[in-house]
Amino acid sequence: KATVSVLNCHASVTSPLLAPMRRTRLRERRPHGRLLRACLCVICFWLGWLVWHGGLWGAPRRTRRRAAGVGVEHAIEERVVSACAGGNTSGPCVAPEFSAAEWREWGALVAASGCNPFDVPFDPVDDARCLETIGTASTWTELRPVPQTDDARTIKLEARWGADPRLRLLIKLPQRGFTLEPYNEVAAFAADRVLAGGRVPPTALAFLPIARLRDVAAAHDPESGALLRPMYTDIEGIESFREYVEEVVIAHAADAGLLPYCPGCEVLPVSVQLFVHDVRKLTDSVYAHPLTFPSDGGKRASWRRHLAAADREFPAAHHVALLWESYAAVFDYVMGNRDRAPDKNNFVVGGCVGGGCAGSPGPRHPGRPTFVLLDNGKILSELDVKSRRPNPFHIMLTAPDAEGEFCVFDRGLVEAVAAVPPEAFPDRLRAVLPAAAAQVIPDVLLEACGARLETVRAQVEKCVSRYGRRSVLRS
């Protein structure tokens, strides 16, 4: 139970796969049965109270008062006070550096916007209000480009919410080589909510006036040297940021037919996501784990072998991290994401290690570190076992003789998968997707997600029959 709150394994849906595990109601027929039942009721009441308030699992459950926008600042203050109260949860706990008064101010922002950047995993109760807040381009201020990096080729923008600039937003644009990236980001958010994960921040589809984008490009064109990497500009044959935006983004979107019909108001479809503070790569966090380990033959074996170890020792030192790798691998397999690995697009909120932690910008995440699914622009792709970073579930399913059979699953994710009939999964995605996104994303890609979901269910059943639930379903 130590890692349940870290991986959000407390799904409320009872899985058909787990049906034999359900407890039956106690039937006491002995003379003192009434007294025993009364004692059990008292014990269950206090256990329930402790779980609800984080006394057992170390992370307080989110109060549903926020659905009505009442008492949000008090809920955040309670979260901060009890953030480090539970000593059983895996991972170090960071005490918030803000005062109680400052956190109450953050609570007022959450109450006004419906967006809580510190609430990971995210509560779907808040999604509707937050999406409404961030999804209107006219409320964005302080737009500025995000520089390219060696492992981040696409042009992105950062913005602030006009009513309170502390609320930051990340905007992704369609561009050459990443035509459907904004739609994919929104689809990843939809899939995360259908599978009850809460690991993708609220992500909306919005429409940015092209004139405003051109103004941003012109204003930051003198910074082209800092914003663009030669390794990418050489490929495109472009030298300035302004030209890059015009040719790689706007012209490409027009050629791809993505610009909606809007006489006199040219707009570009973009995704806008709630910015999460204190995020870092998994390899720079407390959950970093070895990418290889010594094998019996004296060679170095991939970390993926641990996910085939349902009948062997699961390494306790990296239990949380490896179980997260299993969660991410299954999610990415279902959604066709071939762009994530332990050292690529794999992020932790909180849990910074090393000398650069104290100087990191923005507030630190209060409480224990946990995981977040970011950079999902390459989902709905065709998986390839020969790629540089193949999906672990896919490669171990395709070639089990090489690394073993993928048989370690996150219990909460399996419960969510079992609750969604594969044939209904595409329709459930469409129900959550914005209409403009559902019209652009080809049906065949969503249908493929449903087929891969069926493959996951079949693999779970196979592993459970071979090794038993206790070894296969972890938490």
Side-chain angles (χ1 to χ4, degrees):
K1 292 185 179 179
T3 60
V4 170
S5 65
V6 175
L7 291 179
N8 194 30
C9 296
H10 51 270
S12 60
V13 180
T14 302
S15 166
L17 296 172
L18 304 179
M21 299 177 63
R22 283 180 279 178
R23 297 177 182 271
T24 58
R25 181 181 300 175
L26 292 176
R27 295 181 174 86
E28 182 57 62
R29 301 297 185 188
R30 289 175 292 182
H32 302 291
R34 291 185 178 179
L35 179 61
L36 179 59
R37 284 197 295 271
C39 293
L40 286 174
C41 288
V42 173
I43 292 172
C44 289
F45 171 81
W46 283 109
L47 285 175
W49 187 91
L50 287 171
V51 169
W52 184 266
H53 290 277
L56 287 182
W57 293 348
R61 283 181 177 261
R62 286 62 167 169
T63 173
R64 291 304 186 261
R65 291 180 298 172
R66 293 180 302 165
V70 178
V72 180
E73 63 274 13
H74 300 297
I76 290 186
E77 186 176 4
E78 290 169 5
R79 174 186 173 92
V80 171
V81 169
S82 58
C84 299
N88 297 329
T89 305
S90 230
C93 193
V94 175
E97 76 269 31
F98 285 168
S99 66
E102 288 173 313
W103 277 108
R104 280 193 292 272
E105 291 179 3
W106 273 101
L109 169 60
V110 174
S113 65
C115 301
N116 190 348
F118 303 102
D119 200 19
V120 185
F122 298 94
D123 192 335
V125 169
D126 299 330
D127 284 343
R129 289 188 62 232
C130 185
L131 294 177
E132 183 179 0
T133 295
I134 67 178
T136 305
S138 60
T139 65
W140 305 342
T141 61
E142 303 180 41
L143 270 71
R144 64 178 184 85
V146 178
Q148 291 178 328
T149 64
D150 288 344
D151 59 353
R153 175 179 175 178
T154 58
I155 292 293
K156 310 175 186 69
L157 300 177
E158 185 180 312
R160 307 276 179 151
W161 186 42
D164 192 324
R166 289 177 300 170
L167 196 67
R168 298 167 62 183
L169 312 172
L170 185 66
I171 301 166
K172 293 196 173 183
L173 319 171
Q175 48 205 282
R176 189 176 297 142
F178 303 86
T179 304
L180 296 181
E181 181 167 36
Y183 299 98
N184 290 347
E185 291 285 353
V186 175
F189 167 72
D192 176 74
R193 295 310 190 260
V194 171
L195 296 177
R199 296 292 162 179
V200 178
T203 309
L205 186 69
F207 296 91
L208 176 64
I210 292 178
R212 193 174 181 190
L213 177 59
R214 287 186 170 124
D215 290 341
V216 173
H220 292 274
D221 195 55
E223 308 166 26
S224 297
L227 295 174
L228 302 176
R229 289 293 177 99
M231 60 189 298
Y232 304 132
T233 56
D234 290 348
I235 296 175
E236 300 290 350
I238 292 173
E239 297 182 357
S240 73
F241 180 72
R242 187 173 185 175
E243 185 182 4
Y244 201 97
V245 169
E246 195 66 45
E247 295 297 328
V248 179
V249 178
I250 298 174
H252 176 72
D255 293 341
L258 295 182
L259 303 187
Y261 178 72
C262 181
C265 58
E266 285 186 311
V267 292
L268 184 74
V270 300
S271 65
V272 53
Q273 187 174 84
L274 176 66
F275 183 90
V276 181
H277 297 276
D278 201 23
V279 170
R280 61 199 35 84
K281 295 179 180 180
L282 181 142
T283 50
D284 297 330
S285 77
V286 293
Y287 292 132
H289 61 85
L291 300 182
T292 61
F293 63 97
S295 65
D296 296 337
K299 299 180 180 180
R300 303 293 294 182
S302 166
W303 63 272
R304 292 189 293 261
R305 288 291 296 273
H306 288 308
L307 301 183
D311 58 339
R312 297 177 234 158
E313 183 70 21
F314 195 61
H318 304 293
H319 176 96
V320 175
L322 290 172
L323 193 55
W324 167 252
E325 299 290 6
S326 171
Y327 183 106
V330 172
F331 179 85
D332 288 338
Y333 174 77
V334 171
M335 296 308 298
N337 186 6
R338 58 184 183 186
D339 198 31
R340 197 183 332 269
D343 57 345
K344 171 72 170 176
N345 290 340
N346 210 326
F347 300 100
V348 172
V349 54
C352 181
V353 294
C357 298
S360 58
R364 297 184 68 185
H365 178 74
R368 302 187 185 279
T370 187
F371 304 91
V372 63
L373 288 169
L374 304 175
D375 281 349
N376 300 297
K378 294 293 285 185
I379 70 166
L380 302 179
S381 302
E382 184 177 353
L383 299 175
D384 183 5
V385 296
K386 297 181 180 180
S387 65
R388 181 183 175 189
R389 297 180 178 92
N391 177 271
F393 184 88
H394 186 222
I395 191 172
M396 295 172 72
L397 186 72
T398 306
D401 295 339
E403 296 183 313
E405 199 170 21
F406 192 108
C407 273
V408 173
F409 293 88
D410 175 75
R411 183 187 301 269
L413 182 59
V414 168
E415 288 181 335
V417 167
V420 181
E423 64 276 8
F425 187 59
D427 288 334
R428 295 199 183 182
L429 289 178
R430 294 186 189 99
V432 180
L433 282 170
Q439 292 171 1
V440 171
I441 298 174
D443 288 340
V444 65
L445 298 182
L446 299 182
E447 298 296 335
C449 294
R452 289 191 291 265
L453 188 74
E454 175 61 35
T455 301
V456 170
R457 290 165 62 105
Q459 183 65 14
V460 172
E461 292 281 10
K462 180 180 179 181
C463 293
V464 166
S465 66
R466 179 173 298 180
Y467 302 113
R469 289 174 173 80
R470 188 179 184 89
S471 295
V472 173
L473 306 179
R474 309 281 183 133
S475 60

